[in-house]
Amino acid sequence: MREIVVTGGAGFIGSNFVHYVVKNQPDVFVAILDKLTYAGNARNLEGLPNDRHKLVPGDICDAELVDNLLEKADAVVHYAAESHNDNSLSDPSPFVQTNLVGTYTLIEAARKKGIRFHHISTDEVYGDLPLRDADGNSESFTDTTPYNPSSPYSSTKAGSDLLVRAWVRSFGLKATISNCSNNYGPYQHIEKFIPRQITNLICGVRPKLYGSGENVRDWIHTNDHSSAVWKILEEGRIGETYLIGADGEKSNKEVIELLLKLFGKSPDDFEHVNDRPGHDLRYAIDSSKLRAELGWTPEFTDFEKGVEETINWYKTNEDWWRSQKAEVEAKYALSGQ
Ligand code: NAD
Ligand code: DAU
C-alpha cells in the first residue's frame, strides 16, 4: 500500500492510528479526511512530517469529495463517527447522518474504485453482558454474538456494520470489520470517562461515577488498537469480522479508585451522579480469532502504567483541553451528571 485514506484521523483513535502508521510504515502516505467536529482537532496531527500525511477537512457524507480523495488511494480505514453515547441520547441526528449515511457514502465510493476498505466498529453493537458470577465465570463477545445494540450511538454503528457486510456480499466490496472495546490513551476528548475524571482531578473536582459504578468496560490502550487494525488491513480475510480486545475488564468504580490512588487521594473521594439511561452493564471481548488467525498480541497491557502515562499526557498538554472543560461540564450538569 502506497496511500491510505483515514477518515476521522483528527479524532482520538484515528489520530493515534495515523501516528502509528507514519512511525511504523515508512512507505505509506496518509490522507486524513475529517470534518473537524467538536471531537476533531488538527493539533492531534502536529509533529507529523508533511511528506507523509495531509489533512483534508471535509465530510464523509460529501460524495464528490470522497470520490476525488479515493482516486489515488489503495485503501480506506474508516474511523470517522459520532462516538459518544451520552451525546446520542440528547441528539441522535448527527449519529444517523455520519455513522449511517457517511459509511454508505464511503463504501459506495470504495466499491466503485475497487479498493480495500476497513471499517472500524465497536463491541457495543452486541449490547451488554451480565456481570461475572461469583467464580469469575462469564461469557464474552465473539464475532458470532447476535447484534443487540442499546443506544442511538451503538445502533447506528451496528447499522453501519450491516451496510458493510451487505456491500461485501452484494457488490464484492473488499472489506473487513473490527469491533474493539473501550480505548484509552492520549488525545481522547474530555467528555469521555477516563479523561473527564483525569481533568476533574487536575482541576481539584471530585470524579463523577454514573449510578453504582459496577458497570464493566474492557480497556485497551489505543496503540494496541492501532497495531491490530494494521494487521487486519494487511492480512485479514475479506468479509471477516475481527474482535479486538486486551483482556482489560475493570468496573468503573475500580477505574475511579485507581485514578484517585494515582492522584494521591482517598479511594472514596468521588461523587455518585445520575446514571446513563439504558446504561450497558458489561462489555468483554474474546479476541482469540484475531490472535490465532493473524498472530496479533497486545503490548500495552499494564493498565496502571498506561493510565499513569495518560494522566501525565493530560497534565503536560493542559492547553489542549482546558478551553473545553467548562462547556463539557456545563452540558453534563444539565443531566445531573
Ligand atoms: P472521536 O469522537 O474522538 O473522533 C471522531 C472523529 O471523526 C473526529 O475527528 C471528528 O471530527 C470526525 N468526524 C465526525 N463526523 C465526521 C464526518 N461526518 N465526516 C468526517 N469526519 C467526521 O471518536 P473515537 O473515540 O476516536 O472513535 C473513532 C472510531 O472508533 C469510531 O468509529 C468509534 O465508533 C470507534 N470505536 C471507538 C472506541 C472508543 O473507545 N473510543 C472503541 C471502539 C470503537
Ligand atoms: O466499548 C467501546 C465504546 O467505548 C466506543 O464504541 C465508544 O465510542 C466509546 O465512547 C466508549 O463508550 P462508553 O459509553 O463505554 O464510554 P464512556 O467513556 O462514555 O463511559 C465509560 C463508562 O464510564 C460507562 O460505563 C459510563 C461511565 N461514566 C462515563 C462518564 C463520562 C461514568 O461513570 N462517569 C462519567 O463521567
Side-chain angles (χ1 to χ4, degrees):
M1 270 173 284
R2 307 288 290 271
E3 178 162 333
I4 62 171
V5 169
V6 176
T7 71
F12 162 45
I13 309 181
S15 65
N16 277 290
F17 179 73
V18 173
H19 282 275
Y20 176 87
V21 173
V22 168
K23 184 172 168 205
N24 296 294
Q25 302 298 331
D27 300 325
V28 176
F29 182 85
V30 187
I32 297 137
L33 174 58
D34 198 296
K35 191 177 171 184
L36 299 176
T37 66
Y38 79 95
N41 190 339
R43 288 188 60 191
N44 297 0
L45 304 167
E46 274 174 7
L48 294 170
N50 286 333
D51 61 346
R52 299 292 314 286
H53 86 292
K54 69 173 174 189
L55 172 61
V56 180
D59 194 329
I60 56 168
C61 302
D62 180 342
E64 195 182 335
L65 173 66
V66 167
D67 276 342
N68 288 336
L69 193 60
L70 264 54
E71 209 57 63
K72 279 170 62 193
D74 302 304
V76 177
V77 185
H78 173 34
Y79 287 91
E82 286 291 335
S83 68
H84 192 38
N85 276 298
D86 292 322
N87 294 343
S88 80
L89 296 166
S90 53
D91 181 10
S93 72
F95 290 77
V96 172
Q97 183 64 17
T98 288
N99 300 357
L100 290 168
V101 179
T103 300
Y104 158 75
T105 308
L106 290 165
I107 55 181
E108 270 296 87
R111 75 142 167 136
K112 280 189 272 171
K113 304 265 181 302
I115 62 174
R116 181 82 173 80
F117 190 87
H118 181 69
H119 180 61
I120 303 294
S121 193
T122 169
D123 57 1
E124 296 195 17
V125 299
Y126 301 113
D128 61 355
L129 297 163
L131 297 176
R132 285 178 181 273
D133 68 20
D135 300 323
N137 301 320
S138 189
E139 52 182 312
S140 305
F141 300 132
T142 71
D143 65 336
T144 58
T145 303
Y147 275 36
N148 187 26
S150 314
S151 74
Y153 162 67
S154 53
S155 60
T156 55
K157 289 299 290 187
S160 68
D161 292 11
L162 298 182
L163 289 174
V164 175
R165 288 183 184 194
W167 261 239
V168 171
R169 176 149 175 184
S170 300
F171 302 122
L173 180 72
K174 290 185 280 181
T176 40
I177 299 176
S178 55
N179 298 76
C180 189
S181 59
N182 284 63
N183 284 220
Y184 75 98
Y187 303 113
Q188 186 167 29
H189 195 278
I190 57 166
E191 67 189 355
K192 302 281 170 37
F193 179 51
I194 288 182
R196 182 181 183 209
Q197 314 316 332
I198 291 174
T199 53
N200 277 345
L201 285 159
I202 293 173
C203 295
V205 172
R206 296 167 91 198
K208 317 280 187 203
L209 189 63
Y210 289 0
S212 66
E214 65 180 342
N215 308 65
V216 169
R217 296 295 181 264
D218 189 353
W219 293 98
I220 181 172
H221 194 282
T222 191
N223 287 349
D224 282 329
H225 189 179
S226 294
S227 65
V229 167
W230 186 264
K231 193 88 177 156
I232 297 165
L233 185 66
E234 283 207 311
E235 298 172 34
R237 282 183 294 137
I238 299 303
E240 288 297 314
T241 291
Y242 296 91
L243 270 61
I244 305 173
D247 300 328
E249 280 183 69
K250 299 264 180 294
S251 75
N252 294 339
K253 189 159 173 285
E254 285 174 315
V255 173
I256 284 206
E257 285 166 354
L258 172 63
L259 290 169
L260 286 164
K261 181 181 117 178
L262 295 172
F263 274 86
K265 304 252 182 200
S266 151
D268 57 1
D269 198 4
F270 63 85
E271 210 177 304
H272 285 283
V273 294
N274 285 347
D275 207 351
R276 172 184 287 169
H279 196 175
D280 280 342
L281 185 54
R282 173 173 166 263
Y283 304 142
I285 289 272
D286 174 351
S287 60
S288 52
K289 173 175 167 181
L290 173 65
R291 295 175 193 234
E293 196 178 306
L294 304 184
W296 173 82
T297 43
E299 266 181 64
F300 302 88
T301 48
D302 183 339
F303 185 65
E304 180 163 339
K305 183 163 173 273
V307 168
E308 205 167 1
E309 285 167 2
T310 305
I311 291 172
N312 288 337
W313 189 87
Y314 284 90
K315 281 184 174 167
T316 312
N317 293 281
E318 204 167 316
D319 59 330
W320 183 87
W321 57 267
R322 176 61 80 171
S323 62
Q324 294 173 331
K325 186 67 180 165
E327 195 184 330
V328 168
E329 292 307 320
K331 195 167 171 196
Y332 277 124
L334 291 175
S335 50
Q337 292 174 316

